[in-house]
Amino acid sequence: TAGERERRSLEPLLATPAPRWAIVSGKMLAATTLGLVSLVLTLLSVFLTTSLVLTEVGKSTERTILDLAHDEALHTAQVAASRLRLLSAALEQGAAALGNGDLSNDARARAALAGQPMLMAAFSAAFVVAPDGRMNAWFDDTGVRTLGISAGDRDYFKAAIESTATFISEPFVGRATNMPVIVLSRRIVDASGHVIGVLGGVVRINSHALVQD
């Protein structure tokens, strides 16, 4: 048997009363057991190493996804803020132009609003509300018309009447569109400083108008 001669244990081993097949079987069993133990330890080491590697890869992937999501959210917020500034500037220019016009009745309000194509380029729709809260001119991609609905209870109307700044509403479902919208509004002042109405610009939330580069 391998190793027995060098250790000088071959003669005592052969002199034992045990059958030779038992001796050979014992040797093979010992070698097999040692091999199995070595294999189990190797597999356990591979499993633990693989688990650690996969855990680190998972954490790294999660961090990458979170970083990408944060960057995308930051970019979207920056685009929306920039877009709102442009829309506010367009509304301010439109209100100033309408202040030099005549909004004394529905027909004149419609004509004055139709003369502001830049508002349609900037917004999904634009409208003029009289000081009493009645919406007397509405301009969208179908043309200019009078809806005759009231906006007197809307926050965007009340805020615009009371302030000189452009008001940006919370999202809500519009009465004219029956869709979720955001409204930018600003009061219209004539040459004498009197408030003669409120100009509103509509942004449809599902149009992605605020987040497009």
Side-chain angles (χ1 to χ4, degrees), residues 47-61:
F47 173 77
L48 292 176
T49 302
T50 303
S51 298
L52 290 175
V53 170
L54 291 177
T55 299
E56 288 302 316
V57 170
K59 290 180 179 179
S60 177
T61 302

Short mmCIF file of all heavy atoms in Angstrom, two decimals, residues 47-61:
data_model
loop_
_atom_site.label_atom_id
_atom_site.label_comp_id
_atom_site.label_asym_id
_atom_site.label_seq_id
_atom_site.Cartn_x
_atom_site.Cartn_y
_atom_site.Cartn_z
N PHE A 47 -19.27 28.31 -2.67
CA PHE A 47 -20.61 28.86 -2.39
C PHE A 47 -20.51 30.17 -1.63
O PHE A 47 -21.18 31.15 -1.96
CB PHE A 47 -21.42 27.83 -1.60
CG PHE A 47 -22.74 28.36 -1.12
CD1 PHE A 47 -23.81 28.48 -2.00
CD2 PHE A 47 -22.92 28.74 0.20
CE1 PHE A 47 -25.04 28.98 -1.57
CE2 PHE A 47 -24.12 29.24 0.63
CZ PHE A 47 -25.18 29.36 -0.24
N LEU A 48 -19.69 30.19 -0.58
CA LEU A 48 -19.55 31.40 0.21
C LEU A 48 -18.95 32.54 -0.61
O LEU A 48 -19.41 33.68 -0.53
CB LEU A 48 -18.69 31.12 1.44
CG LEU A 48 -19.30 30.19 2.49
CD1 LEU A 48 -18.29 29.91 3.61
CD2 LEU A 48 -20.57 30.80 3.08
N THR A 49 -17.94 32.20 -1.40
CA THR A 49 -17.32 33.23 -2.25
C THR A 49 -18.31 33.78 -3.26
O THR A 49 -18.42 35.00 -3.47
CB THR A 49 -16.10 32.65 -2.98
OG1 THR A 49 -15.16 32.15 -2.01
CG2 THR A 49 -15.43 33.72 -3.82
N THR A 50 -19.07 32.86 -3.89
CA THR A 50 -20.06 33.29 -4.89
C THR A 50 -21.14 34.16 -4.24
O THR A 50 -21.57 35.17 -4.81
CB THR A 50 -20.71 32.07 -5.55
OG1 THR A 50 -19.69 31.26 -6.15
CG2 THR A 50 -21.71 32.49 -6.61
N SER A 51 -21.58 33.77 -3.05
CA SER A 51 -22.61 34.55 -2.35
C SER A 51 -22.12 35.95 -2.04
O SER A 51 -22.85 36.94 -2.23
CB SER A 51 -23.01 33.84 -1.05
OG SER A 51 -23.58 32.58 -1.32
N LEU A 52 -20.88 36.05 -1.58
CA LEU A 52 -20.31 37.37 -1.28
C LEU A 52 -20.20 38.22 -2.53
O LEU A 52 -20.52 39.41 -2.53
CB LEU A 52 -18.95 37.20 -0.61
CG LEU A 52 -18.97 36.65 0.82
CD1 LEU A 52 -17.54 36.41 1.31
CD2 LEU A 52 -19.68 37.61 1.76
N VAL A 53 -19.74 37.59 -3.62
CA VAL A 53 -19.59 38.33 -4.88
C VAL A 53 -20.95 38.81 -5.37
O VAL A 53 -21.12 39.97 -5.77
CB VAL A 53 -18.90 37.46 -5.94
CG1 VAL A 53 -18.97 38.13 -7.31
CG2 VAL A 53 -17.45 37.20 -5.55
N LEU A 54 -21.97 37.92 -5.35
CA LEU A 54 -23.30 38.30 -5.81
C LEU A 54 -23.91 39.39 -4.95
O LEU A 54 -24.60 40.29 -5.44
CB LEU A 54 -24.22 37.07 -5.83
CG LEU A 54 -23.90 36.02 -6.90
CD1 LEU A 54 -24.84 34.82 -6.76
CD2 LEU A 54 -24.01 36.61 -8.30
N THR A 55 -23.66 39.31 -3.64
CA THR A 55 -24.16 40.35 -2.73
C THR A 55 -23.56 41.71 -3.07
O THR A 55 -24.26 42.73 -3.14
CB THR A 55 -23.86 39.99 -1.28
OG1 THR A 55 -24.50 38.75 -0.95
CG2 THR A 55 -24.37 41.07 -0.33
N GLU A 56 -22.24 41.72 -3.29
CA GLU A 56 -21.58 42.98 -3.64
C GLU A 56 -22.04 43.50 -4.99
O GLU A 56 -22.25 44.70 -5.17
CB GLU A 56 -20.05 42.78 -3.63
CG GLU A 56 -19.46 42.61 -2.25
CD GLU A 56 -19.77 43.81 -1.36
OE1 GLU A 56 -19.64 44.95 -1.84
OE2 GLU A 56 -20.14 43.59 -0.20
N VAL A 57 -22.22 42.58 -5.95
CA VAL A 57 -22.72 42.99 -7.27
C VAL A 57 -24.12 43.56 -7.15
O VAL A 57 -24.45 44.58 -7.77
CB VAL A 57 -22.71 41.79 -8.24
CG1 VAL A 57 -23.46 42.14 -9.52
CG2 VAL A 57 -21.28 41.40 -8.56
N GLY A 58 -24.96 42.93 -6.32
CA GLY A 58 -26.32 43.43 -6.12
C GLY A 58 -26.33 44.81 -5.50
O GLY A 58 -27.08 45.69 -5.92
N LYS A 59 -25.48 45.02 -4.48
CA LYS A 59 -25.40 46.33 -3.85
C LYS A 59 -24.90 47.38 -4.83
O LYS A 59 -25.41 48.50 -4.87
CB LYS A 59 -24.48 46.27 -2.63
CG LYS A 59 -25.05 45.47 -1.46
CD LYS A 59 -24.08 45.45 -0.30
CE LYS A 59 -24.64 44.69 0.89
NZ LYS A 59 -23.68 44.65 2.03
N SER A 60 -23.89 47.00 -5.60
CA SER A 60 -23.35 47.94 -6.59
C SER A 60 -24.39 48.30 -7.65
O SER A 60 -24.53 49.46 -8.04
CB SER A 60 -22.11 47.32 -7.26
OG SER A 60 -21.61 48.18 -8.27
N THR A 61 -25.15 47.29 -8.11
CA THR A 61 -26.20 47.53 -9.10
C THR A 61 -27.29 48.42 -8.53
O THR A 61 -27.78 49.35 -9.19
CB THR A 61 -26.81 46.20 -9.56
OG1 THR A 61 -25.78 45.37 -10.10
CG2 THR A 61 -27.88 46.43 -10.61
#
